[in-house]
Amino acid sequence: MSPPPVWLMRQAGRYLPEYRETREKAGGFLDLCFDPKLASEVTLQPIRRYGFDASILFADILLIPQALGQKLWFETGEGPRLEPLEDGKAVAALDVDGAADALSSIYETVSILRSSLPGETDLIGFAGSPWTVATYMIAGRGTPDQAPARLFAYQQRDAFEALMDVLVESTAQYLLRQVQAGADILQLFDTWSGVLPEDEFARWSIAPTKALVERLRALGVTVPIIGFPKGAGPLLPRYVAETAVDAVGLDPSVPLSWAVAELADKTVCQGNLDPLLLVAGGDKMLKAVDTIIEAFDGKPFVFNLGHGIVPQTPPEHVGQVVERVRNR
Ligand code: 1CP
């Protein structure tokens, strides 16, 4: 059987010494994201090392809140911080129409990448799904369970609905511009969809993603769209059917036999090696690669991790996984 295409979420990042060097040169993380030369350089680093089948634009899902007018900064060693959104008034003040224009340096990065990458290497553009981006906008930071946004959605439903509308429109415009600049595929990261009960999942993960996909199609975007609703579990088939994404990312907790039975005939599956096995390495890692590929034999499938590469990953393990995927 021919090997599936392979790329890894967070394939550019702190586990690579050359990334740490470029990031140092840029100053802060946001300086790196907004410098087209340096951002394209770190995007290309893992392609040079490993020859992945796809490259993912180096940027962040939190650039949209910043472009909408929310203050964003990164605390060294801690992560992102935003000035929390507190009510409908703050939502109404967001600059929907100006957001996509504020991100023009990102499109410049995309266009540098499309002309620097080998023709056979697909370029993936991305954004966060509205729900996941909103969780950060409301909490102002990462939290273990995104309780602030969940509570906000229950207590101030109209304001939350308005925030979803703002994010659907600004994200559609942002992704349209990425495609116009040369992105071949789009991925929507819904990292926090798994904290939602069923009705809330339908309301805040599925419905805004469906609206975003519809808006992109209405704007003339025809490239494939990958949805990644992390932690969606048994709600994955419903997510795929209702959002009309073209492919779905599976996190490491999704059982392979279940995914093959419930999803593999309906969509393209992508995943789902545990990022911690990539840290551990050895036979366990290689066997898990084999098990995943064998499970999806004959089905449309893209090999990936079930979530992003973590900083303590030994770079040589990444090379061993790519080699195993291609030469089994
Ligand atoms: O110190 C550093 O160098 C910053 C670490 C880092 C990196 C490498 C952050 C901060 N963002 C990124 C890049 C990034 N983020 C990419 C680049 C492309 C790639 O190689 O994959 C992508 C796709 C993202 C997406 C992203 N950012 C997500 C969704 C995917 C996921 O990992 O769940 C989320 C939740 C973020 C927010 C964010 N940005 C950075 C951090 C540390 C976080 C998580 C914050 C938290 O929850 O506490």
Side-chain angles (χ1 to χ4, degrees):
M1 62 184 162
S2 59
V6 53
W7 68 280
L8 303 180
M9 290 187 275
R10 290 273 171 106
Q11 62 194 22
R14 279 174 293 175
Y15 77 107
L16 289 178
E18 59 268 35
Y19 169 85
R20 296 195 297 268
E21 202 176 295
T22 312
R23 186 179 188 274
E24 191 81 14
K25 215 185 324 170
F29 172 71
L30 286 173
D31 300 309
L32 177 55
C33 291
F34 287 121
D35 183 322
K37 253 206 180 123
L38 297 181
S40 54
E41 166 59 24
V42 295
T43 307
L44 293 169
Q45 286 167 351
I47 305 303
R48 290 191 200 112
R49 250 191 205 248
Y50 307 112
F52 289 114
D53 294 295
S55 175
I56 180 160
L57 163 70
F58 190 86
D60 197 82
I61 65 165
L62 300 177
L63 302 185
I64 275 280
Q66 188 189 50
L68 286 163
Q70 205 178 2
K71 272 211 181 83
L72 168 71
W73 68 102
F74 279 77
E75 294 282 344
T76 319
E78 286 189 53
R81 294 288 182 275
L82 300 114
E83 214 159 77
L85 277 192
E86 284 178 354
D87 51 27
K89 221 176 121 206
V91 173
L94 295 168
D95 179 15
V96 194
D97 298 327
D101 283 342
L103 293 165
S104 57
S105 70
I106 304 301
Y107 320 132
E108 205 180 312
T109 306
V110 171
S111 108
I112 294 174
L113 282 168
R114 194 50 285 171
S115 58
S116 324
L117 282 164
E120 69 273 15
T121 311
D122 280 325
L123 175 57
I124 303 174
F126 76 93
S129 285
W131 161 251
T132 287
V133 175
T135 64
Y136 290 96
M137 294 177 82
I138 287 164
R141 59 194 298 160
T143 69
D145 54 6
Q146 302 298 21
R150 289 156 61 197
L151 205 53
F152 189 112
Y154 285 127
Q155 292 178 329
Q156 303 190 62
R157 184 150 155 192
D158 289 349
F160 199 78
E161 192 80 60
L163 178 56
M164 291 291 104
D165 292 345
V166 165
L167 287 169
V168 167
E169 184 57 25
S170 54
T171 304
Q173 298 293 342
Y174 176 48
L175 291 172
L176 167 67
R177 301 275 289 268
Q178 291 185 31
V179 171
Q180 287 170 339
D184 303 298
I185 298 172
L186 296 172
Q187 177 155 318
L188 304 174
F189 287 89
D190 213 351
T191 306
W192 290 99
S193 66
V195 299
L196 294 168
E198 184 173 5
D199 287 351
E200 296 292 287
F201 181 87
R203 194 171 282 130
W204 307 128
S205 178
I206 292 181
T209 302
K210 175 176 192 275
L212 177 52
V213 172
E214 273 172 4
R215 184 75 181 115
L216 283 165
R217 297 309 183 210
L219 289 167
V221 170
T222 57
V223 304
I225 301 174
I226 308 166
F228 177 47
K230 184 169 176 285
L235 294 168
L236 278 162
R238 185 170 168 197
Y239 173 92
V240 167
E242 294 183 18
T243 61
V245 291
D246 303 285
V248 70
L250 309 176
D251 69 64
S253 73
V254 178
L256 295 173
S257 56
W258 180 87
V260 171
E262 303 296 329
L263 295 167
D265 291 328
K266 300 179 186 129
T267 191
V268 180
C269 291
Q270 169 177 283
N272 74 342
L273 185 71
D274 186 349
L276 292 185
L277 261 181
L278 193 63
V279 177
D283 265 2
K284 275 200 183 72
M285 172 183 81
L286 299 175
K287 282 226 174 70
V289 172
D290 291 348
T291 304
I292 292 168
I293 293 177
E294 280 156 20
F296 288 98
D297 183 23
K299 312 282 184 189
F301 179 65
V302 176
F303 189 89
N304 206 313
L305 298 178
H307 197 194
I309 296 184
V310 296
Q312 66 268 37
T313 303
E316 61 274 21
H317 292 179
V318 175
Q320 288 160 8
V321 162
V322 174
E323 161 68 20
R324 185 68 159 213
V325 171
R326 296 209 170 127
N327 300 302
R328 298 172 56 253

